[in-house]
């Protein structure tokens, strides 16, 4: 008689990572309880979680917002892009100086067939056509804010763009950090537009260029946001005093209208952006932006109807 011994029991297979079946592991996700290898685990408040659970958890986390409602970002991307656009436009001017007369803030003037622009003195002149913002070239209100005086056109020379870009880099990151990128872009463009509109209202035969209106708007926004965040008054106060002095001094040889218009538009928008109640913040900011744009457009239309009557 023969006897048989029971077969030895095989040990259960070792658990493996749910993403890498060839890797043995004994660590489980504290959220979904799946096994995961070291490459798939992420530190959590308690234990570890897998990459899918971390991704799902991040979807439920609301991104941090500034006091103005913008997303928190440490990279001043918009400021860098704006500086790049201004520098690129200036290089294009150096190659083709005629771009200045073609895209400055001239409200009403005369142009010849060779695209030479002249101040409009009234009446019709043989061989010339009426040109400027009053005659359909509304784009000048914005394009002029990205152009600067050429060395052969102004006593400033290259200092015009150098000073404006220095101030843009000095003020831009601080304002962009508080407002967020979208609000920062809107404030910059509407400040520049506000400067062009005030110049159009007061001196429509003047063809000015420069980002000064937008820079003055950023200065006002810097002061407003500093007050909103209770920053020390010394720094923001010195900047505002410097800009007011510059506005008075520059009245003799630059466009003070553009500076003042940008300061007013930027300051009003900054107040709406920074002090809007959190519950109705987005709606109030949208209404303020649309209201500023509508107001500036109406002023342009009214001035245009007066000049072309």
């Amino acid at each position: 008689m023969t006897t048989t011994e029971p077969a030895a029991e095989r040990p259960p297979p070792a658990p493996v990572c749910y993403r890498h079946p060839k890797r043995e592991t004994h660590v489980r996700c504290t959220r979904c309880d799946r096994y995961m290898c070291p490459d798939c685990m992420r530190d959590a408040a308690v234990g570890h979680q897998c990459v899918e659970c971390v991704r799902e958890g991040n979807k439920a986390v609301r991104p941090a917002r500034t006091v103005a409602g913008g997303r928190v970002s440490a990279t001043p991307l918009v400021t860098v892009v704006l500086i790049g656009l201004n520098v690129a436009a200036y290089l294009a001017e150096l190659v083709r100086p005629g771009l200045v007369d073609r895209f400055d803030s001239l409200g009403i003037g005369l142009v010849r067939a060779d695209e030479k622009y002249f101040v409009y003195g009234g009446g019709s002149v043989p061989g010339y056509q009426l040109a400027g913002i009053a005659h359909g070239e509304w784009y000048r209100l914005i394009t002029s804010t990205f152009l600067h005086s050429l060395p052969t056109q102004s006593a400033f020379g290259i200092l015009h763009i150098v000073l404006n870009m220095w101030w843009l880099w000095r003020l831009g990151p601080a304002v962009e950090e508080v407002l967020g990128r979208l609000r920062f872009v809107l404030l910059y463009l509407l400040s520049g537009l506000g400067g062009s509109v005030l110049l159009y209202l007061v001196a429509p035969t003047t063809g000015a260029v420069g980002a000064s209106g937008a820079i003055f708007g950023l200065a006002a926004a810097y002061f407003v946001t500093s007050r909103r965040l209770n920053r020390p008054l010394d720094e923001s106060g010195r900047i505002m005093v410097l800009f007011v002095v510059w506005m008075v001094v520059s009245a003799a040889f630059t466009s003070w209208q553009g500076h003042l218009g940008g300061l007013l538009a930027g300051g009003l928008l900054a107040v709406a952006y920074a002090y809007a109640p959190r519950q109705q913040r987005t709606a109030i900011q949208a209404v303020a932006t649309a209201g500023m744009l509508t107001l500036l457009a109406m002023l342009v239309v009214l001035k245009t109807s007066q000049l072309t009557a």
Side-chain angles (χ1 to χ4, degrees):
M1 183 176 64
T2 59
T3 59
T4 59
E5 296 182 1
E9 295 183 0
R10 295 181 179 179
V16 295
C17 175
Y18 77 100
R19 296 179 66 200
H20 304 96
K22 294 183 179 180
R23 299 183 184 179
E24 295 183 2
T25 180
H26 295 275
V27 180
R28 295 187 180 187
C29 174
T30 56
R31 186 172 180 178
C32 66
D33 205 37
R34 290 183 294 187
Y35 287 100
M36 55 186 177
C37 67
D39 291 338
C40 299
M41 67 176 63
R42 302 292 185 267
D43 292 334
V46 178
H48 301 82
Q49 292 184 6
C50 64
V51 290
E52 275 79 5
C53 289
V54 171
R55 188 180 299 114
E56 290 296 324
N58 289 337
K59 292 180 180 179
V61 177
R62 299 180 62 182
R65 297 283 181 174
T66 67
V67 294
R71 290 190 177 185
V72 175
S73 176
T75 305
L77 177 63
V78 176
T79 300
V80 174
V81 171
L82 289 173
I83 292 176
L85 290 175
N86 279 276
V87 173
Y90 194 73
L91 294 176
E93 293 176 49
L94 295 176
V95 176
R96 294 189 59 186
L99 292 176
V100 177
D101 288 340
R102 184 68 182 84
F103 295 100
D104 65 11
S105 62
L106 180 65
I108 184 170
L110 297 172
V111 60
R112 292 190 318 209
D114 57 357
E115 293 192 350
K116 293 294 184 180
Y117 288 83
F118 301 90
V119 175
Y120 177 65
S124 60
V125 181
Y128 294 84
Q129 291 183 344
L130 289 171
I133 299 170
H135 292 274
E137 299 176 349
W138 291 15
Y139 52 83
R140 290 174 177 269
L141 293 167
I142 289 295
T143 57
S144 60
T145 64
F146 289 92
L147 302 177
H148 289 82
S149 299
L150 291 171
T152 57
Q153 294 177 322
S154 171
F156 270 137
I158 198 172
L159 286 178
H160 190 200
I161 186 172
V162 170
L163 290 175
N164 277 341
M165 294 304 100
W166 186 86
W167 276 113
L168 178 53
W169 179 248
R170 176 69 177 80
L171 300 172
V175 178
E176 182 178 348
E177 181 182 7
V178 177
L179 299 184
R181 292 172 179 173
L182 177 60
R183 295 165 182 80
F184 178 74
V185 169
L186 293 173
L187 185 137
Y188 182 92
L189 293 178
L190 287 175
S191 296
L193 181 61
S196 298
V197 170
L198 185 58
L199 178 64
Y200 181 51
L201 297 177
V202 178
T205 59
T206 301
V209 292
S212 300
I215 301 301
F216 271 78
L218 290 185
Y222 180 83
F223 180 81
V224 171
T225 54
S226 295
R227 298 298 87 226
R228 178 68 176 83
L229 297 174
N230 295 320
R231 290 172 177 168
L233 183 61
D234 295 343
E235 180 68 14
S236 59
R238 284 197 300 268
I239 289 178
M240 289 309 299
V241 170
L242 179 60
F243 268 86
V244 171
V245 171
W246 169 243
M247 185 185 301
V248 174
V249 172
S250 64
F253 48 87
T254 62
S255 170
W256 64 267
Q257 300 94 335
H259 298 176
L260 181 58
L263 186 73
L264 294 175
L268 291 174
L269 281 177
V271 170
Y273 289 166
Y275 287 93
R278 184 175 181 180
Q279 292 76 10
Q280 298 87 23
R281 182 167 55 196
T282 302
I284 292 176
Q285 292 172 348
V287 170
T289 303
M292 178 62 68
L293 181 60
T294 302
L295 173 62
L296 296 177
M298 290 177 60
L299 292 175
V300 172
V301 171
L302 291 175
K303 185 63 175 181
T304 299
S305 63
Q306 177 187 351
L307 293 175
T308 57

Short mmCIF file of all heavy atoms in Angstrom, two decimals, residues 107-108 133-135 138 196-205 296-309:
data_model
loop_
_atom_site.label_atom_id
_atom_site.label_comp_id
_atom_site.label_asym_id
_atom_site.label_seq_id
_atom_site.Cartn_x
_atom_site.Cartn_y
_atom_site.Cartn_z
N GLY A 107 -5.32 113.44 -34.58
CA GLY A 107 -6.77 113.48 -34.59
C GLY A 107 -7.33 113.88 -35.93
O GLY A 107 -8.27 113.27 -36.45
N ILE A 108 -6.78 114.93 -36.51
CA ILE A 108 -7.21 115.37 -37.83
C ILE A 108 -6.04 116.05 -38.51
O ILE A 108 -5.33 116.88 -37.92
CB ILE A 108 -8.42 116.34 -37.74
CG1 ILE A 108 -8.90 116.72 -39.14
CG2 ILE A 108 -8.10 117.54 -36.90
CD1 ILE A 108 -10.24 117.46 -39.13
N ILE A 133 -7.82 110.35 -36.80
CA ILE A 133 -8.87 109.65 -36.06
C ILE A 133 -10.25 110.13 -36.49
O ILE A 133 -11.18 109.33 -36.63
CB ILE A 133 -8.69 109.88 -34.54
CG1 ILE A 133 -7.34 109.32 -34.09
CG2 ILE A 133 -9.82 109.24 -33.76
CD1 ILE A 133 -6.96 109.69 -32.67
N ALA A 134 -10.40 111.41 -36.74
CA ALA A 134 -11.69 111.96 -37.12
C ALA A 134 -12.17 111.46 -38.47
O ALA A 134 -13.35 111.58 -38.80
CB ALA A 134 -11.63 113.49 -37.13
N HIS A 135 -11.27 110.87 -39.25
CA HIS A 135 -11.63 110.41 -40.59
C HIS A 135 -11.40 108.90 -40.73
O HIS A 135 -10.87 108.42 -41.72
CB HIS A 135 -10.87 111.19 -41.65
CG HIS A 135 -11.30 112.62 -41.73
ND1 HIS A 135 -12.36 113.06 -42.49
CD2 HIS A 135 -10.83 113.72 -41.08
CE1 HIS A 135 -12.52 114.36 -42.35
NE2 HIS A 135 -11.61 114.79 -41.49
N TRP A 138 -9.38 105.19 -36.45
CA TRP A 138 -9.52 105.07 -35.00
C TRP A 138 -8.44 104.21 -34.37
O TRP A 138 -8.19 104.30 -33.16
CB TRP A 138 -10.91 104.51 -34.67
CG TRP A 138 -12.03 105.46 -34.97
CD1 TRP A 138 -11.96 106.59 -35.74
CD2 TRP A 138 -13.37 105.38 -34.51
NE1 TRP A 138 -13.18 107.21 -35.80
CE2 TRP A 138 -14.08 106.49 -35.05
CE3 TRP A 138 -14.07 104.49 -33.73
CZ2 TRP A 138 -15.42 106.72 -34.81
CZ3 TRP A 138 -15.42 104.71 -33.48
CH2 TRP A 138 -16.08 105.82 -34.01
N SER A 196 -4.86 108.76 -25.02
CA SER A 196 -5.06 109.14 -26.42
C SER A 196 -6.37 109.92 -26.60
O SER A 196 -6.43 110.87 -27.37
CB SER A 196 -5.07 107.89 -27.30
OG SER A 196 -3.83 107.22 -27.24
N VAL A 197 -7.41 109.52 -25.87
CA VAL A 197 -8.70 110.19 -26.01
C VAL A 197 -8.63 111.61 -25.48
O VAL A 197 -9.15 112.55 -26.12
CB VAL A 197 -9.79 109.39 -25.27
CG1 VAL A 197 -11.08 110.19 -25.18
CG2 VAL A 197 -10.04 108.06 -25.99
N LEU A 198 -7.99 111.82 -24.33
CA LEU A 198 -7.90 113.18 -23.80
C LEU A 198 -7.08 114.07 -24.74
O LEU A 198 -7.42 115.24 -24.95
CB LEU A 198 -7.27 113.16 -22.41
CG LEU A 198 -7.22 114.52 -21.70
CD1 LEU A 198 -8.62 115.11 -21.56
CD2 LEU A 198 -6.55 114.40 -20.33
N LEU A 199 -6.03 113.54 -25.32
CA LEU A 199 -5.26 114.31 -26.30
C LEU A 199 -6.12 114.64 -27.51
O LEU A 199 -6.05 115.76 -28.04
CB LEU A 199 -4.03 113.51 -26.74
CG LEU A 199 -3.15 114.16 -27.80
CD1 LEU A 199 -2.53 115.46 -27.28
CD2 LEU A 199 -2.07 113.20 -28.26
N TYR A 200 -6.93 113.71 -27.95
CA TYR A 200 -7.82 113.93 -29.09
C TYR A 200 -8.84 115.01 -28.78
O TYR A 200 -9.18 115.83 -29.64
CB TYR A 200 -8.51 112.61 -29.43
CG TYR A 200 -9.46 112.67 -30.61
CD1 TYR A 200 -9.06 113.20 -31.82
CD2 TYR A 200 -10.76 112.18 -30.50
CE1 TYR A 200 -9.94 113.24 -32.92
CE2 TYR A 200 -11.63 112.20 -31.58
CZ TYR A 200 -11.22 112.74 -32.77
OH TYR A 200 -12.08 112.79 -33.85
N LEU A 201 -9.33 115.05 -27.55
CA LEU A 201 -10.32 116.05 -27.17
C LEU A 201 -9.72 117.44 -27.08
O LEU A 201 -10.34 118.43 -27.49
CB LEU A 201 -10.95 115.68 -25.82
CG LEU A 201 -11.75 114.37 -25.75
CD1 LEU A 201 -12.24 114.13 -24.33
CD2 LEU A 201 -12.92 114.40 -26.72
N VAL A 202 -8.50 117.55 -26.56
CA VAL A 202 -7.90 118.85 -26.30
C VAL A 202 -7.07 119.35 -27.47
O VAL A 202 -7.13 120.55 -27.82
CB VAL A 202 -7.03 118.78 -25.02
CG1 VAL A 202 -6.36 120.13 -24.76
CG2 VAL A 202 -7.88 118.36 -23.82
N ALA A 203 -6.29 118.47 -28.09
CA ALA A 203 -5.38 118.89 -29.16
C ALA A 203 -5.45 117.90 -30.31
O ALA A 203 -4.53 117.09 -30.50
CB ALA A 203 -3.95 119.00 -28.63
N PRO A 204 -6.54 117.93 -31.08
CA PRO A 204 -6.72 116.92 -32.13
C PRO A 204 -5.72 117.03 -33.28
O PRO A 204 -5.57 116.08 -34.05
CB PRO A 204 -8.14 117.18 -32.63
CG PRO A 204 -8.41 118.61 -32.29
CD PRO A 204 -7.68 118.85 -31.01
N THR A 205 -5.04 118.16 -33.44
CA THR A 205 -4.07 118.29 -34.53
C THR A 205 -2.68 117.85 -34.11
O THR A 205 -1.72 117.99 -34.88
CB THR A 205 -4.01 119.75 -35.01
OG1 THR A 205 -3.65 120.60 -33.91
CG2 THR A 205 -5.35 120.19 -35.58
N LEU A 296 -15.12 106.34 -23.06
CA LEU A 296 -14.07 106.80 -23.97
C LEU A 296 -14.55 106.78 -25.42
O LEU A 296 -14.26 107.69 -26.19
CB LEU A 296 -12.82 105.92 -23.80
CG LEU A 296 -12.14 105.99 -22.43
CD1 LEU A 296 -10.97 105.02 -22.37
CD2 LEU A 296 -11.68 107.40 -22.12
N ALA A 297 -15.30 105.73 -25.78
CA ALA A 297 -15.82 105.65 -27.15
C ALA A 297 -16.80 106.78 -27.44
O ALA A 297 -16.78 107.38 -28.53
CB ALA A 297 -16.48 104.30 -27.37
N MET A 298 -17.66 107.09 -26.48
CA MET A 298 -18.62 108.18 -26.67
C MET A 298 -17.92 109.52 -26.83
O MET A 298 -18.32 110.35 -27.65
CB MET A 298 -19.59 108.21 -25.49
CG MET A 298 -20.56 107.04 -25.44
SD MET A 298 -21.63 107.11 -23.96
CE MET A 298 -22.45 108.69 -24.22
N LEU A 299 -16.87 109.76 -26.04
CA LEU A 299 -16.13 111.01 -26.16
C LEU A 299 -15.48 111.13 -27.54
O LEU A 299 -15.46 112.21 -28.14
CB LEU A 299 -15.06 111.08 -25.07
CG LEU A 299 -15.57 111.22 -23.63
CD1 LEU A 299 -14.42 111.14 -22.64
CD2 LEU A 299 -16.33 112.53 -23.46
N VAL A 300 -14.96 110.02 -28.05
CA VAL A 300 -14.35 110.03 -29.38
C VAL A 300 -15.39 110.32 -30.44
O VAL A 300 -15.18 111.11 -31.37
CB VAL A 300 -13.65 108.69 -29.66
CG1 VAL A 300 -13.18 108.61 -31.11
CG2 VAL A 300 -12.44 108.52 -28.72
N VAL A 301 -16.57 109.69 -30.32
CA VAL A 301 -17.63 109.91 -31.30
C VAL A 301 -18.10 111.35 -31.28
O VAL A 301 -18.31 111.98 -32.34
CB VAL A 301 -18.79 108.94 -31.04
CG1 VAL A 301 -20.01 109.30 -31.90
CG2 VAL A 301 -18.36 107.50 -31.30
N LEU A 302 -18.28 111.92 -30.10
CA LEU A 302 -18.74 113.30 -29.99
C LEU A 302 -17.70 114.27 -30.58
O LEU A 302 -18.06 115.22 -31.30
CB LEU A 302 -19.02 113.64 -28.54
CG LEU A 302 -20.23 112.95 -27.90
CD1 LEU A 302 -20.33 113.27 -26.42
CD2 LEU A 302 -21.51 113.35 -28.63
N LYS A 303 -16.45 114.03 -30.27
CA LYS A 303 -15.40 114.91 -30.81
C LYS A 303 -15.29 114.77 -32.31
O LYS A 303 -15.10 115.76 -33.04
CB LYS A 303 -14.04 114.57 -30.14
CG LYS A 303 -12.91 115.51 -30.56
CD LYS A 303 -13.19 116.95 -30.12
CE LYS A 303 -12.01 117.86 -30.43
NZ LYS A 303 -12.26 119.26 -29.98
N THR A 304 -15.45 113.55 -32.81
CA THR A 304 -15.39 113.33 -34.25
C THR A 304 -16.52 114.04 -34.97
O THR A 304 -16.31 114.66 -36.03
CB THR A 304 -15.46 111.81 -34.56
OG1 THR A 304 -14.33 111.16 -33.94
CG2 THR A 304 -15.43 111.55 -36.06
N SER A 305 -17.73 113.97 -34.40
CA SER A 305 -18.86 114.67 -35.04
C SER A 305 -18.65 116.17 -35.03
O SER A 305 -19.06 116.88 -35.95
CB SER A 305 -20.15 114.31 -34.28
OG SER A 305 -20.10 114.76 -32.94
N GLN A 306 -17.97 116.69 -33.99
CA GLN A 306 -17.68 118.13 -33.94
C GLN A 306 -16.66 118.52 -35.00
O GLN A 306 -16.82 119.55 -35.68
CB GLN A 306 -17.16 118.49 -32.56
CG GLN A 306 -16.75 119.95 -32.43
CD GLN A 306 -16.08 120.22 -31.08
OE1 GLN A 306 -16.07 119.38 -30.19
NE2 GLN A 306 -15.53 121.41 -30.96
N LEU A 307 -15.63 117.70 -35.17
CA LEU A 307 -14.58 118.04 -36.14
C LEU A 307 -15.03 117.88 -37.59
O LEU A 307 -14.52 118.57 -38.47
CB LEU A 307 -13.35 117.15 -35.89
CG LEU A 307 -12.60 117.38 -34.58
CD1 LEU A 307 -11.49 116.35 -34.41
CD2 LEU A 307 -12.02 118.78 -34.51
N THR A 308 -15.95 116.97 -37.81
CA THR A 308 -16.37 116.70 -39.19
C THR A 308 -17.69 117.36 -39.54
O THR A 308 -18.24 117.12 -40.62
CB THR A 308 -16.50 115.19 -39.41
OG1 THR A 308 -17.43 114.64 -38.45
CG2 THR A 308 -15.16 114.49 -39.24
N ALA A 309 -18.21 118.19 -38.66
CA ALA A 309 -19.49 118.85 -38.93
C ALA A 309 -19.35 119.80 -40.12
O ALA A 309 -18.36 120.53 -40.24
CB ALA A 309 -19.95 119.61 -37.69
#
